[in-house]
């Protein structure tokens, strides 16, 4: 793991209000233990984001969500204020920025991304999961911006 990644995760964990309060009240050992647990948990999320076939991030007006199969990590903040998400994108996780999407009804009616990476041969109907690449095709038509696009490049 790169030193820069660990530095960011440690700084983020140390900045949490609860950890600051523990330090302020003299409970430094407990603060350090919780910060270590936080860093290890976040490292696990980064590993999952790098290894799962349908791991992706979505950032909209409601916040930022990291989708890791059956686990979702989220915050009400935009990606610019969510260091874990920023690190995952920097390490290659697919990022879908839906802030430019104006048709929220169409977006809300999109199918969900399959959690396990499987591809549904018939991706229509309510509640049907689709592959990440199919989902990206759909959301891109609504105006979303994509970073770290997993779709194969097409020659023109």
């Amino acid at each position: 793991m790169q030193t820069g990644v660990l530095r960011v995760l440690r700084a983020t964990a140390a900045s949490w209000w609860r950890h600051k309060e523990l330090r302020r009240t003299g409970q430094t050992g407990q603060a350090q233990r919780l910060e270590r647990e936080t860093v290890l948990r976040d490292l696990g999320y980064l590993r999952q984001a790098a290894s799962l076939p349908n791991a992706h991030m979505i950032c909209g007006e409601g916040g930022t969500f990291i989708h890791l199969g059956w686990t979702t990590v989220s915050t009400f903040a935009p990606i610019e204020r969510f260091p874990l998400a920023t690190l995952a994108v920097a390490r290659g996780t697919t990022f879908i920025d839906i802030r430019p999407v104006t048709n929220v009804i169409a977006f809300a009616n999109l199918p969900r991304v399959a959690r396990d990476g499987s591809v549904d041969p018939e991706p229509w109907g309510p509640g049907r999961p689709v592959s990440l690449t199919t989902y990206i095709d759909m959301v891109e038509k609504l105006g979303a911006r994509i970073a770290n696009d997993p779709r194969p490049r097409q020659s023109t």
Side-chain angles (χ1 to χ4, degrees):
M1 189 62 53
Q2 295 175 344
T3 306
V5 170
L6 290 174
R7 188 177 302 124
V8 169
L9 292 178
R10 285 183 186 132
T12 302
S15 71
W16 284 14
W17 70 269
R18 177 69 177 135
H19 300 166
K20 284 182 181 178
E21 185 63 18
L22 288 170
R23 287 182 187 282
R24 189 187 69 73
T25 59
Q27 300 174 52
T28 307
Q30 186 176 4
Q32 288 173 337
R33 183 181 55 77
L34 290 173
E35 289 165 8
R36 247 188 322 275
E37 290 174 6
T38 300
V39 168
L40 290 174
R41 182 201 62 211
D42 288 351
L43 284 172
Y45 291 149
L46 287 174
R47 285 187 186 105
Q48 283 183 305
S51 66
L52 295 173
N54 277 0
H56 64 285
M57 238 165 298
I58 295 180
C59 180
E61 296 302 323
T64 305
F65 302 85
I66 305 173
H67 297 280
L68 304 168
W70 293 99
T71 303
T72 299
V73 183
S74 65
T75 183
F76 289 117
I79 190 169
E80 295 83 7
R81 291 194 335 234
F82 189 13
L84 178 63
T86 303
L87 287 171
V89 169
R91 295 176 52 95
T93 301
T94 301
F95 175 61
I96 304 168
D97 187 353
I98 62 168
R99 291 175 285 190
V101 173
T102 56
N103 189 344
V104 294
I105 301 299
F107 176 76
N109 287 320
L110 290 177
R112 68 184 186 280
V113 176
R115 296 177 191 269
D116 60 359
S118 63
V119 178
D120 190 345
E122 299 175 357
W124 48 83
R128 292 269 190 178
V130 296
S131 70
L132 179 58
T133 55
T134 301
Y135 183 81
I136 290 172
D137 289 340
M138 293 173 178
V139 76
E140 196 172 45
K141 288 177 186 171
L142 296 175
R145 293 186 301 250
I146 312 300
N148 301 328
D149 195 336
R151 298 175 292 184
R153 302 267 186 243
Q154 295 179 354
S155 59
T156 55

